Amino acid sequence: MSLRSGREFLSIPGPTVIPDQVLASMQRPAVDIYSGPMIALTDGLLADMSKMFRTKGRSYIYIGNGHAAWEGALTNVLSRGDKVLVLESGRFAIGWGEAAKMLGADVEILPGSFRAAVKPEAVESRLKADTKGEIKAILVAQIDTASGVVNDIKAISDARRAAGHDALLMVDTVASLGCMPFEMDAWGVDVAMSGAQKGLMTPPGLSFVAGNARARAIHPKADMRSPYWDWTAREGELHYHKYNGTPPEHLLFALRTALDMIFAEGFENVFRRHSLLAEATRRAVSLWSEGQDLGFNIIEPAERSDTVTTILMREGLSPEALTQFCNEQLGVVLGVGIGALSGKGFRIAHMGHVNAPMILGTLSVVELALSALKMPHGKGGVQAAVDYLASEIAA
Ligand SMILES: *Cc1c(COP(=O)(O)O)cnc(C)c1O
């Protein structure tokens, strides 16, 4: 018996649920790429992406996914042979580092853990040891979507300052922008990048890079520069230059609607909504974890992210059986474990266009599946999530 018919709940950490209004905004003909409305749309989006990153610096829009923006960020500020320090806390900064290596950087990984945040003290001591100033850039993910960790970007920036080091701080915000605070200028981040299809609720295919004045001062000397990614080319007068070719019009229509939704709700409410729904998820997982048959991947509660929760299952329990049952019988598509956690756990996304019924529905389905599959777990997880939300939003 399957209960799948009805609305599918896509609970993976990207692409996330695309709001109906965002989808509808793409249902229109293409427009002239050289005239007024398109130029105004681009100018507004570039300014608003800098608002999203919270920077007075410039933003650039690329046609491509997060991997594309990784390359867009690196090639504009680095030269071949530059030493780059990658801060490990899961999968994504490592992937960004692999891209840097292929582009000709000398990549060093500051070893971390798949189960914990980057330690700012470790960053400080590594930078202090770099007495010759060989390290030119630091790569870190604010939220790592594989491990489910949130890194303290301000503390990492403070560590750089305490070490008296001037490496560029480059931050991947693909799984955090529009979901939790990110303060590019206030925290001293030099380059930030993100993608459209996670917190920004837009179909995959757009990604973003922002550079502050320091990054843009280094840019003219960067020898990894290449035509498509190049900031200088994109700062050209003509609208055509802004995308180095034809604008991705319909994705831009979608992004416009999504950003308008975020601005209308207000950052404060958007961030609090994510934090409440994330904590509701954690309350449920805590209960399920009582017998230690499953549990949080991230050991330290304060290091668990507000956009994705990664859950490990003990040996002998099959995450595939659980995710397959949730999908095929119950209509909820969970994230699978990736990277070091492949085959060992699953992920619940609470990112972007999510509300109480979507999260409570997802949690209920996971609890139902654990019972139906006779997988041992503590009872009452969903009730704990409900009780938590009730107490937080009580009138
Ligand atoms: C999803 C993700 C990426 C990669 O984005 P793609 O669009 O899949 O290329 C990079 N970094 C983080 C933190 C992500 O969550």
Side-chain angles (χ1 to χ4, degrees), residues 285-299:
V285 176
S286 292
L287 266 278
W288 299 338
S289 305
E290 275 177 349
Q292 311 208 336
D293 294 293
L294 37 102
F296 292 100
N297 176 54
I298 298 302
I299 294 163

Side-chain angles (χ1 to χ4, degrees), residues 13 65-68 70 92 141 143-145 172-175 193 195 197-198:
N65 57 16
H67 285 67
W70 278 348
F92 286 92
I143 288 178
D144 187 286
T145 327
D172 173 336
T173 69
V174 177
M193 53 73 59
Q197 78 276 20
K198 301 198 181 172

